[in-house]
Amino acid sequence: MPEHAHIVTSFEDELRSLDNRIAEMGGLAERLVDQSFEALDKRDTRLAELAIASDLAIDRHEREVESQAIAMIGRRQPMALDLRHITTAIKVAGDLERVGDLAKNIAKRALAVANEPRPKQLMGGIGHMTEIAQRQLKDVLDAYAMRDAEKAEAVWRNDGLIDALYNSLFRELLTYMMEDPRNIGLCTHLLFAAKNLERIGDHATNIAETTYFLVTGAQLAEDRPKGDTTSSTAITDRTSS
Amino acid sequence: MVAASDASVLNGSGAKTLTGPGAHSGKISARDVNVFYGENQALKSVNVGIPERSVMAFIGPSGCGKSTFLRCINRMNDTIAGCRVTGKITLDNEDIYDSKLDVVQLRARVGMVFQKPNPFPKSIFDNIAYGPRIHGLAQSKTDLEGIVTASLKKAGLWDEVKDRLKEQGTGLSGGQQQRLCIARAIAVGPEVILMDEPCSALDPIATARIEELIDDLRKNFTIVIVTHSMQQAARVSQHTAFFHLGSLVEKGETQQIFMAPTDKRTQDYITGRIG
């Protein structure tokens, strides 16, 4: 059911402007993830520099969302849906800012590995993770914009896929490093890039939880099954099996 | 019914003498309450339980029936010609519309504070002493002084007026007058205090004092407050009921009503949308 308009039209305008800013931030974050991976994959240092610079715009948007939201709470004393609208905007902007940071970090690693070889299979794995992280990000931003709790919940449940890919990439990278210590530099950077993509997926699920709360007023209570087991994986010389 | 024969009742220690049966269920319960003003139906089948020793807020647009319902709880509507109430309202499981019930006694148990402070044109002392005198609650002058002092302390007014009890109540500031009226309501040892927009004529500081007082009073009294300020309802109450066009649309814990109301009409009202 569509929401009725506010009696106070300037409040309505402010809420819309908050949404527009989040949408813009989302678009920038998506593009940044895209550019960072491409810079890493193609060893394109110019694109990496561009990606690093564009993170500044996301940071600026986040600060503006925050100050706008706080001013609205102070001036309007919002209730119910409006209160959820404004407080969740702060949270979503925070998550998108982190997505920007993580993507920027991948771009920095693209600079670090610019002169390293390009193992096709590994890059394919990271490419696949990037695609899924991007899809999660896109879907959750759509869910947020459309106030679609079902779609948000679907994103939330899908996070396991990125975690599984990360686990298998982790093992693969360990194997490369064990095979030849000269791979360690490259593989460590790629491992961090993969971890960053996995964290981007986590921020997408955070936004999914926030969206669910925005729409329904209830929390997604149950614990999401955690798929990243690398933090408890022992590294022995048998890991390569 | 009310054995408020000494001031200890007001000090909390004697509070159990004010507690009737069903202390832990709803203090007040309304079932299928309809109110008519002549041909006009002002309330339509209201059902609600009001928990003891907590604050319940009634919110809703003007003319929604919230004040009408409030005034049913101490039968203030009896005084309006052509007003008819059907259904059942109980206080501690006693039907307050029972023909054998003494309405004066009921109003001692269910006190009321109005929008505009309305102290009697008497001294501060006599404003408070008036109720206990006519209800015969004080055996002696000392008793009466005890009740006056305790009531003023409970209403958070004592320190400001203790040296001028002989002065006119009407000479106090608006916020002080309202606290005087609350002290006057407390003086007869009520169990329930009804407040009909008690802060709408007060400035923000005086309003904050009353809200602080309400929060304090709920330890000993069941409070029902009608307010047009949603923020005030959210601040002072534990439960909130939303009235619209004579119906009770939604009731629940205050946090739920203001964070995630379930009814669209509630949402539209509290967020200021055109319904």
Side-chain angles (χ1 to χ4, degrees), chain A residues 57-110:
Chain A
I58 299 184
D59 292 354
R60 197 176 56 240
H61 276 301
E62 193 223 358
R63 286 193 297 274
E64 277 167 23
V65 166
E66 192 178 277
S67 66
Q68 192 182 344
I70 290 171
M72 286 169 78
I73 292 170
R75 291 173 54 215
R76 311 276 184 193
Q77 285 111 55
M79 290 285 193
L81 180 64
D82 298 332
L83 181 56
R84 304 203 303 272
H85 188 151
I86 295 170
T87 51
T88 56
I90 299 176
K91 290 195 74 177
V92 171
D95 279 311
L96 289 174
E97 189 273 330
R98 291 296 300 143
V99 168
D101 283 351
L102 292 162
K104 181 177 73 173
N105 189 268
I106 295 174
K108 283 182 174 170
R109 292 179 192 282

Side-chain angles (χ1 to χ4, degrees), chain B residues 62-78:
Chain B
S62 296
C64 68
K66 58 191 188 300
S67 289
T68 295
F69 183 63
L70 189 79
R71 295 158 69 90
C72 288
I73 300 173
N74 68 349
R75 292 184 53 176
M76 288 283 286
N77 288 328
D78 290 13

Side-chain angles (χ1 to χ4, degrees), chain B residues 99-112:
Chain B
S99 55
K100 292 191 286 289
L101 183 121
D102 178 348
V103 179
V104 175
Q105 277 301 330
L106 173 72
R107 288 181 194 147
R109 292 175 69 190
V110 184
M112 191 152 188

Side-chain angles (χ1 to χ4, degrees), chain A residues 30 132-144 151 155 204:
Chain A
E30 283 183 281
I132 291 172
Q134 282 176 318
R135 198 174 63 215
Q136 287 281 86
L137 198 55
K138 181 185 180 304
D139 285 352
V140 84
L141 288 168
D142 285 350
Y144 180 79
K151 192 165 186 174
V155 170

